[in-house]
Amino acid sequence: SSCFSRARGMDGALPRTAAVAGLTAAALTFGAPTSFALQPSLQRAVAASPRVAAKENLSAREEAQPAEGHLASAALSMSVAAALGATAAAGRRLRRTALPLGRSLTVRRAVPAQPAQPSQPLASSRAAASLSTAKSAVPRAASTVLETAMAVEYEVGQKLHGWTCERVEDVSEFKCKGYLFRHDRTGAELISMVQPADENKTFGVVFRTPPENSNGIAHVLEHSVLCGSRKYPLKEPFVELLKSSLQTFLNAMTFPDRTCYPVASCNLQDFYNLIDVYLDAVLHPRALSDPRVLAQEGWHYEIENKDDPLVYKGVVFNEMKGVYSSPDNAHSRTANQNLFPNNAYGVDSGGDPKVIPSLTFDYFKDFHGKFYHPSNAKFWFYGDDPADRRLELLDGFLSEFERIEVDSEIKPQPLFTEPKRVQGEFAIGEDEDISKKTMASISWVLAEGKVDVQTGLALSFLNYLLVGTPAAPLTKALVDSGLGSRVIGGGLYEGLLQPTFGIGLKDLKEEDVPKVEELIMKQLTELAETGFEADAVQAAINTIEFRNRECNFGSFPKGLSLMFAVVDNWNYGKDPFEPLRFEAPLAELKDRLAKGEKVFENLIREKLLDNPHRVVTESRPSKDYSKKIEAQEKEELANYRKTLDEKSIEQLIQETKTLKEIQVKPDDPSAMATVPRLELSDIPKESPKIPTEIRGSSPTTLVHEFPTSGVVYLDVAFSLEAVPEKLQPLLPLFTGSLKQLGTERGDFVSLTRRIGMSTGGISASNVCLNKRGEAKAETYLIMRGKSMAAQVPQLVDLFREIALMVNWDNKERFVQLLRQSKSGAESALLSSGHQVSARRLAAQTTRAGWLNEQWAGLSQYEFLCQLLADIEGGGWDEVAKDLRTLQSCIFNRAACVVHNITAEAENLADSQAALESLSSGLPKDASSPVLLEPQLQRFAEGIIVPTQVNYVGKGANLYASGYELHGSALVASKFLNTTYLWERVRVSGGAYGGFCQFDPRSGDFKYISYRDPNLGGTWKNYDGVPDFLKEIEVDADELTKTIIGCMGDVDSYMLPDAKGFQAMMRHLLGESDEYRQKLRDEILGTTAEDFRSFAGTLEEVTKNGGLCAVGSKEALEAAQAEFGLSLRSPLAAKS
């Protein structure tokens, strides 16, 4: 449940689903091509959904780095996906637009996305799982019957199952019908979207929960309600669901003014099970009668011996200490608190670590009683489940309540009459250079409340035109200024009551702050006078219209994307269906523009230039900030301890002991038996296959026929095996520069617009994979694109231009990209230490692991620093030569190994011909393959960064010790994530996340923790895993649940484009259907004895595993001698 800003970026981790379900299995995944272009908030039905954290965790209001393509850390299990190919696609690298400074959205998450080697997705459809009907969730899905959504029509005024239909809407944009119901007894509202064509069923309940201070009550309560309930009286029914569910989404989210509990599944019985547990959790949580839930999830005093100092512990407390360690978040909060000083948005709904310990149990209970009532609830259904059953199911829960008056209205922030200037500070390391670390931004509140649909649409277009691409004039002006390294601010956000806009720069000299404000206002003034170029406007229109036609949400359930769009209005008493109806407003806007109306120019003047509700925020680095915060906390605890007598201290010691005992004590079997689940008989025994036709060779063409609404998806894979070892670290910048330097046909602004006018987007990414049974790394540059069928020739021509015509002499632009990448890599060291640690561990064991770390880990950051110094020292000519060498090594006929086409039958032949013309026109020259032979060795290291929490990793390669892969290892890893590691590292240890990863391709096994208050204690917990697996008695029921949950990771839901892409990856890695079926059989046949056998294998990690921790100087120095750590401080100023 990390705090993050919902459309602009995320500083937090993944959903709890990921951590618990494991990241056992998901390394990096390959997302659907929906993230090619920037996702603006133009089509709010598409853009309004929060995205699960991506390749790295990005702070609120922080602008993402240039996309590396579609590699993303998955929110699923790493080992399963790596073995069988599950794709999550939830974590695509996205550029953010729309979000107010510092707005917090907390998401029930346990760990962040994982950085391990990319795993190949597995094509499957959960529709293959049986549909089981039950009139309510039941502990076992004993019977399987077919119950599907039947044609249903309701009329306004119609009463059914305690509900009255108040509105009927035909939502043609999404080919479904929507109904607004009100519950007769409680006044609860329900939007029921009937969509027989979508098997991915979604449900959500939303409560308005405006906070009055920063004690984190909404966030802590969001965690706590899922820790047992009246019907399910165990500690973690949420975790039990993850063990045994086929869910496609399972999470909870705390926004600045509301809390959401969404679920999704393609299996009807599973869907009902999830709803049943969630509804009982939010309405009847165990936490209201057990203060220890608040202590565990929120905060508590901890002391184990009378001579020990008091410390604060708690999952949310430590999570938010991690959030508050981020410089970008510090800047966001300063801006936000001053942008909204008088309403709920001026406090932190996620919780300020300094304020969280003021949260009392009485306050906790009162907040739930006030806001978690059906009279304050909004319910959502979408998909092909029976519509009448929705009403009946909900009424069964709500009928015991009576209507009450709930004052949860979100009060607007009164608009300023004059601008403000504010200053804040953030922590940096003692040995860092502070000469160019300042941040500055300007942010506006654009209106007193929700704007009308036409204004909102125009603002979204304006946002895209101003900052939506690297070529957008406001973004480009800031980058071209050379004042800072990276654009921040995030642009427009319309997801709260009042829309906001923010823009700025980071890594400034202190004296350059006024220049940033001057530049922004000057650029806006010029645009208000001259407007935007016609081709820029046309590119924006085509981009949005393409997304509307494609309606591709990747692996994120479409129904939840629509729900979040709807709630953006519904939460404030506005028309909930308005965000879904974009065709008429878009036509009206285009008509206004065609008639010559100065739509965007007028908006710039009214909403920005002439708007006095403007805050200029400057944030300065402080070497003393972390020490000051830590000293304040220690002083507060010491002062409290002075008030305690010996008896009170003994009581705290006993309470600490009792809490830890409860946390590791197994639930009563009778309570466990209440949690509904499927049976193994509900899981298809055969591994699903992706329809693939192989045509030709050199290059091979793979063809996948799917219904795609006229969209053609094209992928071209180029081998990187001829790239010299010394140029490997340059590859990420090379690939990221392909669309950013301009070409022989024009500058990068022109290229960006032509891509926007003719296609749905183009991307390029580097992929480094392990191939089972081989030591060498499989490496590819994959170019991806999508367009309507008629535009395929233009799409392929753009591929050719990007590959062969890049202007490698554009030093100025390349240095801009280099500085942006360096800044992004530095931010990742601070906020994504788990990824840094995992990559460093992988680099010790395999060539692919070593190479991935060179491309995206600490080594990449150090390379970028040195490269910038070399260029500034006169070394550009050598760099330009290296870039051309890479181009010739990669873009030639021999290196072009696969064409991949996903489209409808009538569009396949023309698409194949277009791709063949591309490859036949490539240069014939080919370089010889290069064998990478890095020196791999175990080491123990600590990486020092300014942070209040740690990221603790340990790992080894199981194949190196003789282990042979068996599918049960994936189940055992899943089991560890939902039992031992969850209980010891997160629940008892207080870390935000603790999990293991097993990559079946490489054999790497890693333990990782996230936002962890501990260090050595976590390593010792890892070493206890083999004994735990040997001693645990796993009964048949527990084993069945874990196998089902593992299969849920395997059989992830995918759209056609994702299926086509993962079929290509499977082909490149030589992973046959027979291999995947064998692993599936082994997973389904896992026994308790397999767990004990795997325990012996994991002793290799305990005895010989490498260590890597990212943390504070104090924590690492304290552990250095005991664990033999070699310490390094990558952010230290170079002498």
Side-chain angles (χ1 to χ4, degrees):
S1 55
S2 132
C3 265
F4 71 86
S5 291
R6 182 164 65 94
R8 290 191 176 165
M10 312 176 187
D11 72 284
L14 311 174
R16 246 177 105 169
T17 348
V20 181
L23 291 168
T24 8
L28 296 178
T29 58
F30 305 93
T34 51
S35 59
F36 284 172
L38 170 65
Q39 181 86 309
S41 57
L42 300 178
Q43 181 189 336
R44 287 184 294 178
V46 174
S49 59
R51 298 316 203 270
V52 176
K55 181 161 170 90
E56 62 191 31
N57 297 303
L58 296 167
S59 302
R61 301 287 295 182
E62 179 185 8
E63 188 69 12
Q65 286 300 289
E68 294 176 353
H70 300 281
L71 294 187
S73 300
L76 293 174
S77 212
M78 171 188 119
S79 42
V80 178
L84 300 181
T87 283
R92 300 180 304 274
R93 286 288 295 261
L94 299 176
R95 289 184 58 82
R96 259 87 43 198
T97 57
L99 177 84
L101 276 174
R103 280 331 309 140
S104 297
L105 159 63
T106 61
V107 178
R108 187 166 180 77
R109 305 174 171 222
V111 296
Q114 297 313 301
Q117 290 91 343
S119 38
Q120 175 198 352
L122 164 73
S124 90
S125 167
R126 296 196 179 180
S130 64
L131 293 176
S132 302
T133 9
K135 293 305 178 183
S136 63
V138 294
R140 302 289 180 267
S143 61
T144 299
V145 298
L146 293 177
E147 180 178 354
T148 58
M150 297 187 297
V152 63
E153 295 283 346
Y154 300 108
E155 297 178 353
V156 173
Q158 181 178 350
K159 291 183 177 293
L160 185 66
H161 298 304
W163 295 86
T164 299
C165 182
E166 295 189 341
R167 187 170 168 186
V168 178
E169 285 288 329
D170 186 9
V171 187
S172 59
E173 286 85 344
F174 295 96
K175 298 180 176 62
C176 59
K177 196 156 235 180
Y179 301 91
L180 176 63
F181 289 90
R182 187 174 299 277
H183 193 242
D184 299 333
R185 189 179 182 92
T186 65
E189 293 180 284
L190 162 68
I191 288 182
S192 180
M193 303 292 290
V194 179
Q195 174 52 284
D198 196 341
E199 65 179 355
N200 201 0
K201 294 163 273 290
T202 62
F203 164 81
V205 56
V206 180
F207 300 97
R208 282 202 299 217
T209 52
E212 58 184 8
N213 57 50
S214 295
N215 65 8
I217 174 59
H219 185 184
V220 174
L221 190 58
E222 171 240 298
H223 275 241
S224 300
V225 299
L226 294 176
C227 292
S229 64
R230 183 175 70 184
K231 189 174 180 180
Y232 304 109
L234 61 160
K235 291 182 296 183
E236 293 276 3
F238 182 89
V239 178
E240 295 306 310
L241 285 179
L242 290 170
K243 290 180 184 178
S244 57
S245 172
L246 298 177
Q247 52 83 19
T248 57
F249 193 89
L250 185 66
N251 212 333
M253 300 154 179
T254 302
F255 288 74
D257 56 13
R258 59 192 182 268
T259 308
C260 304
Y261 296 87
V263 302
S265 180
C266 293
N267 180 287
L268 183 60
Q269 178 61 52
D270 189 47
F271 183 56
Y272 288 151
N273 292 348
L274 298 174
I275 294 170
D276 197 70
V277 173
Y278 261 47
L279 286 175
D280 201 61
V282 298
L283 296 175
H284 308 291
R286 179 177 67 92
L288 299 182
S289 59
D290 186 352
R292 290 192 177 99
V293 175
L294 169 60
Q296 172 182 292
E297 297 299 320
W299 76 278
H300 64 275
Y301 294 111
E302 184 165 298
I303 180 171
E304 295 187 357
N305 303 291
K306 65 179 182 179
D307 295 328
D308 293 346
L310 278 180
V311 295
Y312 290 127
K313 284 288 183 73
V315 174
V316 169
F317 178 79
N318 287 312
E319 173 194 344
M320 297 311 297
K321 289 190 87 170
V323 171
Y324 273 57
S325 296
S326 163
D328 301 278
N329 269 284
H331 181 81
S332 301
R333 286 190 301 276
T334 302
N336 188 71
Q337 289 164 1
N338 288 277
L339 197 63
F340 292 99
N342 307 118
N343 77 344
Y345 302 151
V347 300
D348 192 339
S349 63
D352 182 337
K354 295 193 296 290
V355 185
I356 289 173
S358 69
L359 176 58
T360 66
F361 187 54
D362 285 341
Y363 192 97
F364 177 85
K365 292 188 295 182
D366 289 346
F367 193 89
H368 181 276
K370 181 177 181 180
F371 295 120
Y372 277 61
H373 189 280
S375 298
N376 189 46
K378 292 173 171 59
F379 297 94
W380 167 273
F381 274 95
Y382 167 93
D384 67 354
D385 56 301
D388 284 0
R389 175 72 184 121
R390 299 169 176 178
L391 305 175
E392 182 183 8
L393 184 155
L394 287 176
D395 184 62
F397 277 92
L398 305 187
S399 58
E400 66 180 275
F401 293 88
E402 298 287 347
R403 186 192 300 255
I404 64 171
E405 293 298 321
V406 180
D407 182 12
S408 61
E409 180 184 1
I410 313 302
K411 305 296 191 298
Q413 167 64 47
L415 298 183
F416 300 166
T417 56
E418 59 183 24
K420 295 169 61 175
R421 295 177 182 277
V422 298
Q423 191 177 106
E425 60 181 349
F426 59 87
I428 64 167
E430 296 177 12
D431 49 5
E432 289 187 55
D433 178 6
I434 66 171
S435 62
K436 202 172 181 184
K437 290 286 187 179
T438 299
M439 288 184 262
S441 65
I442 308 179
S443 47
W444 290 262
V445 171
L446 305 181
E448 293 179 321
K450 281 288 180 183
V451 297
D452 62 83
V453 63
Q454 218 13 245
T455 301
L457 185 61
L459 281 172
S460 295
F461 265 96
L462 176 61
N463 178 72
Y464 187 87
L465 290 165
L466 286 173
V467 299
T469 70
L474 188 52
T475 295
K476 187 174 183 297
L478 287 166
V479 173
D480 287 350
S481 72
L483 296 172
S485 67
R486 221 165 140 205
V487 175
I488 60 173
L492 176 72
Y493 183 60
E494 299 177 276
L496 301 177
L497 176 61
Q498 294 169 278
T500 62
F501 185 89
I503 190 74
L505 274 174
K506 66 182 298 185
D507 296 334
L508 302 163
K509 293 179 180 177
E510 192 175 308
E511 60 267 26
D512 286 342
V513 169
K515 298 178 184 177
V516 174
E517 180 185 6
E518 179 184 349
L519 176 59
I520 291 170
M521 299 306 288
K522 178 183 177 183
Q523 186 67 26
L524 290 172
T525 300
E526 291 177 359
L527 290 168
E529 293 296 325
T530 62
F532 297 92
E533 296 180 23
D535 58 351
V537 176
Q538 184 56 47
I541 290 173
N542 179 74
T543 298
I544 304 314
E545 288 190 319
F546 185 94
R547 289 179 190 146
N548 291 348
R549 286 194 298 267
E550 183 189 27
C551 197
N552 188 326
F553 297 87
S555 68
F556 192 81
K558 180 187 294 185
L560 292 185
S561 291
L562 302 188
M563 183 190 85
F564 288 119
V566 163
V567 170
D568 281 351
N569 262 22
W570 200 11
N571 197 53
Y572 310 105
K574 303 298 181 182
D575 181 358
F577 294 101
E578 181 182 273
L580 307 185
R581 296 190 303 260
F582 50 79
E583 288 180 350
L586 182 55
E588 181 181 343
L589 178 60
K590 289 168 65 176
D591 185 59
R592 291 169 64 196
L593 294 171
K595 291 177 179 177
E597 183 179 343
K598 302 295 184 182
V599 175
F600 305 125
E601 295 87 338
N602 293 338
L603 279 177
I604 291 173
R605 291 190 186 93
E606 176 190 350
K607 301 298 183 182
L608 300 175
L609 292 173
D610 299 336
N611 179 3
H613 197 118
R614 181 171 78 239
V615 175
V616 179
T617 304
E618 175 184 353
S619 294
R620 296 178 179 177
S622 169
K623 294 186 176 183
D624 299 325
Y625 186 75
S626 286
K627 286 186 175 180
K628 181 172 65 176
I629 295 299
E630 185 177 348
Q632 288 174 352
E633 181 180 311
K634 288 181 177 179
E635 181 181 7
E636 181 179 276
L637 288 162
N639 289 338
Y640 176 69
R641 178 170 178 143
K642 290 176 183 177
T643 69
L644 303 176
D645 57 24
E646 192 169 313
K647 181 179 179 181
S648 299
I649 291 176
E650 188 58 40
Q651 287 176 337
L652 281 179
I653 292 173
Q654 185 57 44
E655 182 57 34
T656 297
K657 180 182 178 182
T658 300
L659 180 60
K660 288 182 179 292
E661 289 173 348
I662 291 172
Q663 288 169 335
V664 299
K665 181 181 178 182
D667 283 299
D668 184 89
S670 62
M672 294 282 283
T674 63
V675 180
R677 66 162 171 83
L678 302 174
E679 293 287 359
L680 282 180
S681 58
D682 292 301
I683 308 300
K685 300 300 184 288
E686 289 192 16
S687 182
K689 298 176 177 62
I690 301 172
T692 302
E693 180 185 351
I694 300 177
R695 300 178 180 178
S697 60
S698 301
T700 299
T701 297
L702 306 177
V703 172
H704 318 283
E705 182 184 334
F706 283 108
T708 59
S709 301
V711 179
V712 174
Y713 300 94
L714 302 181
D715 310 302
V716 183
F718 296 90
S719 172
L720 298 176
E721 65 178 3
V723 174
E725 182 170 329
K726 72 168 188 173
L727 297 186
Q728 292 289 344
L730 186 58
L731 264 171
L733 258 180
F734 169 85
T735 305
S737 299
L738 290 173
K739 297 191 302 175
Q740 299 297 322
L741 298 181
T743 70
E744 297 170 8
R745 297 176 179 174
D747 63 13
F748 87 95
V749 175
S750 167
L751 177 61
T752 301
R753 291 176 183 173
R754 285 186 286 119
I755 291 172
M757 286 189 288
S758 302
T759 78
I762 294 174
S763 75
S765 61
N766 300 316
V767 178
C768 179
L769 302 159
N770 282 101
K771 190 172 184 177
R772 287 201 67 246
E774 296 186 11
K776 79 182 187 75
E778 293 290 324
T779 56
Y780 302 94
L781 186 153
I782 299 179
M783 195 172 291
R784 310 188 65 190
K786 57 183 177 179
S787 72
M788 302 308 293
Q791 278 71 50
V792 165
Q794 293 98 307
L795 173 62
V796 173
D797 188 57
L798 286 163
F799 276 6
R800 182 181 298 107
E801 181 179 351
I802 291 166
L804 302 179
M805 303 180 189
V806 175
N807 177 14
W808 297 114
D809 293 322
N810 193 345
K811 173 185 174 182
E812 180 182 2
R813 178 62 179 156
F814 183 84
V815 172
Q816 290 174 355
L817 298 173
L818 170 55
R819 288 189 172 126
Q820 290 173 6
S821 296
K822 175 179 173 289
S823 176
E826 182 175 316
S827 292
L829 288 175
L830 298 172
S831 62
S832 301
H834 59 295
Q835 295 185 355
V836 176
S837 176
R839 290 188 179 112
R840 295 292 290 176
L841 291 171
Q844 300 179 26
T845 58
T846 67
R847 295 175 189 176
W850 174 83
L851 190 51
N852 272 315
E853 204 278 332
Q854 293 289 312
W855 286 358
L858 176 60
S859 296
Q860 175 68 189
Y861 171 71
E862 293 173 336
F863 168 78
L864 295 173
C865 293
Q866 186 58 54
L867 182 63
L868 183 58
D870 290 346
I871 293 175
E872 290 175 342
W876 167 249
D877 289 344
E878 187 65 25
V879 174
K881 178 183 175 182
D882 289 343
L883 292 168
R884 290 189 173 88
T885 299
L886 285 172
Q887 182 183 40
S888 64
C889 287
I890 300 166
F891 296 123
N892 59 71
R893 292 188 198 178
C896 184
V897 293
V898 169
H899 296 156
N900 194 54
I901 305 168
T902 305
E904 287 152 332
E906 60 269 26
N907 298 323
L908 294 174
D910 289 345
S911 299
Q912 181 178 350
L915 285 179
E916 287 173 350
S917 71
L918 168 68
S919 54
S920 64
L922 293 171
K924 294 182 180 180
D925 300 336
S927 304
S928 300
V930 175
L931 180 62
L932 301 179
E933 295 186 288
Q935 296 300 310
L936 306 177
Q937 58 183 346
R938 177 200 178 279
F939 53 81
E941 69 174 344
I943 299 169
I944 297 171
V945 298
T947 180
Q948 300 178 54
V949 290
N950 306 304
Y951 305 86
V952 185
K954 183 170 186 175
N957 189 276
L958 303 186
Y959 294 164
S961 61
Y963 174 70
E964 294 186 5
L965 176 64
H966 189 274
S968 61
L970 310 177
V971 183
S973 299
K974 176 86 171 180
F975 180 73
L976 287 172
N977 283 329
T978 54
T979 54
Y980 181 88
L981 293 173
W982 175 266
E983 293 166 356
R984 298 300 177 93
V985 179
R986 178 185 168 112
V987 174
S988 182
Y992 186 29
F995 52 93
C996 64
Q997 300 175 325
F998 175 54
D999 180 355
R1001 291 199 183 110
S1002 67
D1004 275 352
F1005 187 95
K1006 295 186 285 288
Y1007 302 106
I1008 303 290
S1009 73
Y1010 181 73
R1011 290 181 181 166
D1012 191 344
N1014 310 301
L1015 205 157
T1018 297
W1019 274 324
K1020 291 173 182 177
N1021 276 327
Y1022 295 159
D1023 290 346
V1025 165
D1027 287 342
F1028 168 78
L1029 280 181
K1030 289 176 185 177
E1031 297 168 6
I1032 188 73
E1033 292 295 331
V1034 183
D1035 61 26
D1037 188 71
E1038 184 72 13
L1039 186 61
T1040 296
K1041 287 190 294 185
T1042 307
I1043 292 171
I1044 291 171
C1046 189
M1047 291 309 304
D1049 295 339
V1050 170
D1051 290 344
S1052 62
Y1053 180 77
M1054 286 175 297
L1055 296 176
D1057 56 326
K1059 292 179 181 179
F1061 183 79
Q1062 58 180 260
M1064 177 183 71
M1065 298 312 302
R1066 186 186 308 153
H1067 171 83
L1068 290 171
L1069 293 170
E1071 294 181 349
S1072 66
D1073 289 337
E1074 291 73 20
Y1075 160 74
R1076 295 170 64 252
Q1077 184 63 53
K1078 177 177 179 291
L1079 279 181
R1080 187 182 191 92
D1081 293 342
E1082 291 170 351
I1083 291 171
L1084 291 171
T1086 297
T1087 67
E1089 183 56 38
D1090 290 327
F1091 280 20
R1092 287 186 282 274
S1093 175
F1094 194 56
T1097 301
L1098 292 184
E1099 288 178 349
E1100 171 66 17
V1101 186
T1102 298
K1103 295 175 183 177
N1104 300 313
L1107 304 177
C1108 182
V1110 178
S1112 67
K1113 181 179 180 182
E1114 294 74 20
L1116 290 169
E1117 286 180 344
Q1120 183 176 12
E1122 180 178 1
F1123 295 96
L1125 301 180
S1126 172
L1127 303 187
R1128 58 193 304 179
S1129 183
L1131 301 180
K1134 301 299 185 287
S1135 57

